[in-house]
Amino acid sequence: MPIHSPKQNHLLAALPAADFDRLAAHLQPVALPLGEMLYEPGAQLQHAYFPVSAIVSLHYVMESGASASVASVGNEGVVGVSLYMGGDTTPSSAVVQTAGHAYRLERRLLCDVRERQGVSSA
């Protein structure tokens, strides 16, 4: 099994060293199996996920129950960006499209980062 590093995620790798060091101790490595549902529409988000080898598909779920894929997130980004922007739910679902690994960060820690950086949630 290959060794994974948080810096395989381009967003984490782009952080200034001091910010990365603050987060690194709190990043939890997780395996993401194919088809795992990370978020359901309207549910309270508990973690942000930084994929390193997995790909997560975001689906917008319509009132009829039908869904449409609106984005895919791989090692270039984060799943759960609404937490950083001050939200705690999302209208979309997030499903693992390609099995792999990610690092997750608890909601409260991401909110702490936002507050330290002075990002408004409005």
Side-chain angles (χ1 to χ4, degrees), residues 68-86:
S69 181
V70 293
S72 292
V73 180
N75 70 336
E76 78 290 342
V78 61
V79 178
V81 71
S82 61
L83 287 172
Y84 184 77
M85 300 307 292

Side-chain angles (χ1 to χ4, degrees), residues 21-87:
D21 291 343
R22 270 195 295 274
L23 290 180
H26 303 288
L27 292 168
Q28 303 169 326
V30 292
L32 299 179
L34 177 66
E36 181 173 340
M37 177 86 65
L38 301 180
Y39 302 141
E40 294 198 31
Q44 187 171 26
L45 306 179
Q46 298 301 318
H47 297 92
Y49 292 84
F50 298 87
V52 293
S53 62
I55 298 174
V56 178
S57 182
L58 305 180
H59 297 263
Y60 184 78
V61 181
M62 297 171 245
E63 284 183 25
S64 68
S67 69
S69 181
V70 293
S72 292
V73 180
N75 70 336
E76 78 290 342
V78 61
V79 178
V81 71
S82 61
L83 287 172
Y84 184 77
M85 300 307 292

Side-chain angles (χ1 to χ4, degrees), residues 4-27:
H4 297 284
S5 161
K7 291 217 174 180
Q8 288 175 289
N9 177 281
H10 297 288
L11 193 59
L12 291 174
L15 289 173
D19 291 338
F20 178 82
D21 291 343
R22 270 195 295 274
L23 290 180
H26 303 288
L27 292 168

